[in-house]
């Protein structure tokens, strides 16, 4: 019975290991985009993280800036999402032709956010913001949800005459990391352990006269 309990406990723990995927890019301070002549610290990305939970189908997007986010100054955070086609690639003149997207998430400095017509709320604390976004809000155009790729670019305003201030990552897209090989191995061991448990439970008891 102790062996049976141990196998069941190990299997349950191992099976949940690969559910979450996350990736982070660290961006240098002061690497502002060409054309932007300001130096707003809260528009200078220092890190960008994409976390995907396959069990809940929720992305958690998070970023840190070089300075505290100031809602009294102009600026907005745009997160481009490539769900397969990556039809838009407008940043070649800024040295970022590989930033390709077909949908966007907009995060305002006051914590309001939007995906298409869907309002969301971001958490802002000091120099960081985070936002949970359901994968159902994005229409796939070829990629599996966990393979969507992302890029964060702050802007110093909205509309004509405003500028992208930074990219994270630079001239690339960030994809939530695939589970480590060790995690997959643990999952398979867990499945094998469950199979063994079921076999032991079905084995008929031996009776002695």
């Amino acid at each position: 019975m102790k062996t049976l309990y141990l196998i069941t406990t190990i299997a349950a723990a191992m099976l949940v290991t690969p559910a979450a995927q996350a990736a982070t890019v660290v961006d240098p301070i002061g690497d502002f985009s060409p054309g932007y002549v300001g130096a707003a610290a809260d528009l200078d990305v220092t890190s960008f993280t994409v976390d995907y939970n396959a069990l809940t189908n929720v992305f958690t997007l998070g970023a840190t800036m070089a300075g505290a986010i100031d809602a009294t100054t102009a600026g907005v955070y745009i997160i481009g999402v490539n769900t397969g086609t990556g039809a838009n690639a407008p940043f070649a003149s800024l040295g970022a032709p590989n930033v390709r997207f077909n949908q966007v998430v907009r995060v305002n400095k006051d914590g309001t956010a939007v995906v298409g017509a869907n309002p969301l709320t971001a958490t802002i604390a000091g120099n960081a913001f985070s936002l949970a976004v359901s994968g159902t809000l994005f229409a796939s155009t070829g990629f599996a949800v966990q393979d969507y790729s992302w890029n964060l670019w702050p802007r110093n305003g909205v509309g004509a005459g405003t500028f992208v201030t930074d990219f994270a990552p630079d001239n690339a897209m960030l994809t939530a990391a695939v589970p480590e090989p060790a995690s997959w191995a643990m999952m398979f061991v867990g499945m094998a352990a469950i199979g063994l448990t079921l076999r032991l439970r079905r084995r008929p008891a031996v009776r002695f006269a």
Side-chain angles (χ1 to χ4, degrees):
M1 290 299 294
K2 287 183 178 179
T3 302
L4 211 59
Y5 173 77
L6 180 61
I7 290 173
T8 304
T9 302
I10 292 173
M14 289 179 173
L15 277 174
V16 300
T17 302
Q21 306 174 29
T24 298
V25 60
V26 176
D27 195 64
I29 294 176
D31 64 331
F32 291 110
S33 299
Y36 173 64
V37 296
D42 65 351
L43 299 179
D44 184 5
V45 185
T46 56
S47 72
F48 177 47
T49 297
V50 177
D51 179 278
Y52 178 64
N53 189 316
L55 295 179
T56 60
N57 190 24
V58 170
F59 289 96
T60 301
L61 311 175
T64 59
M65 306 296 146
I69 296 173
D70 184 356
T72 66
T73 61
V76 65
Y77 305 102
I78 305 296
I79 301 169
V81 191
N82 182 3
T83 67
T85 59
N88 301 308
F91 301 123
S93 63
L94 300 180
N98 294 324
V99 176
R100 305 181 62 88
F101 62 98
N102 56 351
Q103 298 177 64
V104 298
V105 180
R106 173 175 167 171
V107 179
N108 300 309
K109 288 186 175 183
D110 62 1
T112 59
V114 65
V115 177
N118 301 285
L120 299 170
T121 300
T123 298
I124 296 179
N127 69 329
F129 74 79
S130 63
L131 176 71
V133 186
S134 172
T136 62
L137 295 182
F138 303 107
S140 175
T141 58
F143 288 169
V145 178
Q146 66 270 18
D147 295 328
Y148 292 173
S149 56
W150 310 75
N151 189 288
L152 166 65
W153 60 87
R155 298 186 68 98
N156 67 340
V158 179
T162 63
F163 296 91
V164 171
T165 63
D166 198 4
F167 290 100
D170 293 324
N171 195 27
M173 302 295 290
L174 183 66
T175 303
V178 175
E180 298 286 338
S183 296
W184 286 114
M186 290 177 70
M187 181 184 71
F188 292 136
V189 170
M191 292 174 66
I194 286 179
L196 177 60
T197 299
L198 294 175
R199 288 186 62 186
L200 289 174
R201 285 179 175 173
R202 288 197 299 264
R203 184 175 296 174
V206 178
R207 298 176 180 271
F208 294 93

